[in-house]
Amino acid sequence: MKKLVKSILFTSALAMGANGLMVASTSNGWSDEWYRAKFGSNSPKEEARQKAERASEAFREERPSQVAKPASTWSDQWYRAKYGSNSPREEARQRAERANTAFREEPAPARVRPANDWQEQWYKAKYGRSSPLAEARQKLNVK
């Protein structure tokens, strides 16, 4: 009986070890997590991988804006929190910025109602006909 238990334990330890080796070779695994927890930074292997990944990416150079936007001050934030709109100073700045832009902004398209309105479907399912609102909308769209 002792020999059987020992052989089962030995076989299970070998199987777990083989699985652990296969998993460790394919993923970052617990060793990187342990290194990060102990030293507070990525392991050298992980840093090399991230550096190689960053080197292979293509970035567009950002052009600095011609006029630096002033940071919103605490008073602007307070005004917005209290009154729910921008302060007069912030609105004036935004107006001036819009006036100085070199491009023309297109007006927002008119809102279109969704074709699949659940209330109209419910009304039609319950009463077997279109709702009076849907009929009125159809008449207005035909004209």
Side-chain angles (χ1 to χ4, degrees):
M1 184 73 173
K2 276 186 172 183
K3 191 173 186 176
L4 178 66
V5 171
K6 285 182 182 180
S7 65
I8 290 174
L9 288 174
F10 181 72
T11 306
S12 62
L14 281 176
M16 287 175 26
N19 285 337
L21 287 175
M22 292 183 68
V23 168
S25 65
T26 58
S27 68
N28 293 340
W30 62 269
S31 61
D32 288 333
E33 293 176 17
W34 174 83
Y35 192 95
R36 185 171 185 77
K38 181 161 179 74
F39 299 110
S41 63
N42 291 328
S43 66
K45 183 175 84 174
E46 179 68 14
E47 285 179 3
R49 186 191 66 78
Q50 288 176 354
K51 185 178 180 183
E53 188 176 297
R54 273 187 250 120
S56 66
E57 291 179 358
F59 291 102
R60 290 186 180 162
E61 185 177 332
E62 289 186 29
R63 296 183 183 146
S65 62
Q66 293 174 354
V67 178
K69 294 180 185 175
S72 63
T73 60
W74 69 268
S75 59
D76 292 335
Q77 293 173 355
W78 174 83
Y79 193 94
R80 182 152 181 79
K82 182 166 178 75
Y83 298 110
S85 63
N86 292 325
S87 66
R89 182 174 61 183
E90 178 69 15
E91 287 179 2
R93 187 193 66 78
Q94 288 175 353
R95 258 187 265 115
E97 187 177 292
R98 268 187 254 124
N100 292 335
T101 54
F103 62 92
R104 180 176 56 111
E105 293 185 23
E106 297 294 325
R111 290 188 139 187
V112 179
R113 290 184 55 85
N116 197 9
D117 192 9
W118 70 270
Q119 290 172 328
E120 292 173 14
Q121 290 179 357
W122 173 81
Y123 193 92
K124 195 168 197 173
K126 183 167 183 169
Y127 296 111
R129 59 186 167 84
S130 295
S131 69
L133 285 174
E135 292 172 1
R137 277 194 206 110
Q138 286 176 351
K139 288 179 186 176
L140 290 174
N141 287 338
V142 171
K143 289 183 181 180

